[in-house]
Amino acid sequence: MKKTLILNWKMNPESFKMAKELFDFVSEKTKDQIMIAPPYLYLKDLVNNQNKKSKIKIIAQNVFWDLLGAYTGEISPLMIKKMGISGSIVGHSERRYILKEDDDLINKKIISLIKNDLLAVLCVGETHKDSLNQALIFIKNQLKKDLSKISNSINKISYLSAGRKNTKLIIAYEPVWSIGGGKPTDAERSALIIKEIKKFVKEKHGLDVEVLYGGSVDCKNISSFLKYKEIDGFLVGSASLKKSEISCIINKVAQNK
Ligand code: PGA
């Protein structure tokens, strides 16, 4: 099974020129589908200037839940959809813990994205290097809240996920303590947690969900994660900004087919 690769640029790079150059570099490196989440300011121009042959899907790093209204500073799922954006990351730990987003808000965002036929990439993960058991309790609690009430949209997700790559819900397991480059978690432990996440979502919602690993993934450590069939792909932050790292990651993922 092909692995999914999502590149989260966070608040980088500093100019559109640099973003476009990096985007074109990734486009040329791969014929497989990759998703890139650039900063909001670059989304429109990247979509409009995307080479017709490029298979890269562009997603947002964040989105609001309501479609229009008095929400200063927010961006609507409707707006990103009209712009040709495929979906959004939701519940990234930097939004949860720096910007204080809670599970209720995250849940509303997920429901809104799915209802509007957009992809939701939900990030979950324990904040501390807990025991496996403690980590699973923490993650299942997040999943319970973040995916609550998605049953009304279930037909939409499962219908679309029949052709796996068209799914409207992807989960990224990102242990918060491993985010930021240079602090990857143990691949075997991540595979175990990912297996449990899949089991939980199947039991609670009847969905076969794709689950990625994120947290300090780079050229050196990706091979250890690629060994596990449970890990459906990767959400890459820091390394996705370096050309040498990203081309190495793309090559290793491609060779793994
Ligand atoms: P990192 O970021 O690869 O720099 O650890 C991953 C993420 O925050 O999604």
Side-chain angles (χ1 to χ4, degrees):
M1 187 66 82
K2 269 189 202 170
K3 306 272 184 193
T4 298
L5 209 47
I6 302 183
L7 311 182
N8 177 13
W9 288 353
K10 309 191 182 186
M11 202 170 68
N12 301 290
E14 66 187 74
S15 69
F16 175 70
K17 192 168 169 268
M18 289 160 87
K20 179 79 171 78
E21 202 197 315
L22 195 57
F23 188 90
D24 290 344
F25 177 82
V26 179
S27 294
E28 277 160 29
K29 283 270 157 235
T30 180
K31 293 194 172 57
D32 290 334
Q33 206 175 64
I34 287 186
M35 295 182 219
I36 297 184
Y40 256 114
L41 276 184
Y42 307 151
L43 287 176
K44 186 166 175 247
D45 288 335
L46 286 176
V47 170
N48 291 344
N49 291 301
Q50 190 171 9
N51 184 319
K52 294 274 171 293
K53 284 189 195 142
S54 162
K55 290 199 173 139
I56 292 179
K57 270 193 189 170
I58 301 176
I59 60 172
Q61 296 175 14
N62 175 44
V63 75
F64 194 58
W65 56 269
D66 208 355
L67 301 187
L68 290 171
Y71 304 105
T72 303
E74 292 299 329
I75 307 280
S76 151
L78 205 62
M79 293 170 184
I80 64 167
K81 188 173 176 175
K82 289 205 170 167
M83 208 191 275
I85 306 300
S86 305
S88 180
I89 297 174
V90 182
H92 189 280
S93 61
E94 285 144 19
R95 296 210 62 89
R96 286 181 194 262
Y97 304 113
I98 302 173
L99 292 143
K100 312 287 179 227
E101 287 196 6
D102 63 15
D103 291 297
D104 182 47
L105 182 65
I106 290 164
N107 177 241
K108 282 183 177 156
K109 290 180 179 193
I110 291 173
I111 291 176
S112 182
L113 282 164
I114 294 169
K115 270 195 186 152
N116 286 286
D117 286 329
L118 288 160
L119 168 72
V121 180
L122 168 65
C123 301
V124 293
E126 74 279 20
T127 48
H128 299 97
K129 210 167 179 174
D130 294 329
S131 69
L132 184 64
N133 202 29
Q134 279 172 312
L136 284 172
I137 292 171
F138 185 93
I139 294 162
K140 284 180 188 175
N141 190 37
Q142 276 186 327
L143 287 170
K144 202 170 139 214
K145 293 180 187 161
D146 298 347
L147 298 179
S148 125
K149 295 175 269 169
I150 63 161
S151 48
N152 298 340
S153 322
I154 250 22
N155 288 344
K156 235 170 183 166
I157 312 173
S158 48
Y159 164 72
L160 289 160
S161 66
R164 195 161 175 268
K165 288 290 167 194
N166 285 324
T167 182
K168 292 297 167 209
L169 179 66
I170 291 179
I171 294 176
Y173 165 57
E174 301 205 297
V176 179
W177 47 271
S178 79
I179 291 177
K183 303 166 273 184
T185 177
D186 174 54
E188 190 180 354
R189 175 186 156 109
S190 301
L192 256 167
I193 291 180
I194 285 177
K195 207 172 156 185
E196 288 297 317
I197 292 176
K198 290 182 181 182
K199 209 170 126 198
F200 182 88
V201 177
K202 181 77 180 174
E203 274 169 17
K204 296 274 177 241
H205 303 288
L207 289 172
D208 292 308
V209 75
E210 193 173 330
V211 186
L212 319 181
Y213 169 76
S216 296
V217 173
D218 64 19
C219 168
K220 269 199 226 120
N221 63 39
I222 196 162
S223 304
S224 63
F225 292 95
L226 280 167
K227 280 191 231 145
Y228 294 92
K229 64 172 187 343
E230 294 85 358
I231 304 178
D232 295 313
F234 304 94
L235 180 46
V236 187
S238 325
S240 73
L241 296 164
K242 297 181 199 122
K243 287 183 182 171
S244 58
E245 282 288 328
I246 201 60
S247 68
C248 167
I249 289 171
I250 290 171
N251 288 342
K252 288 195 173 167
V253 169
Q255 281 158 17
N256 188 64
K257 267 176 213 167

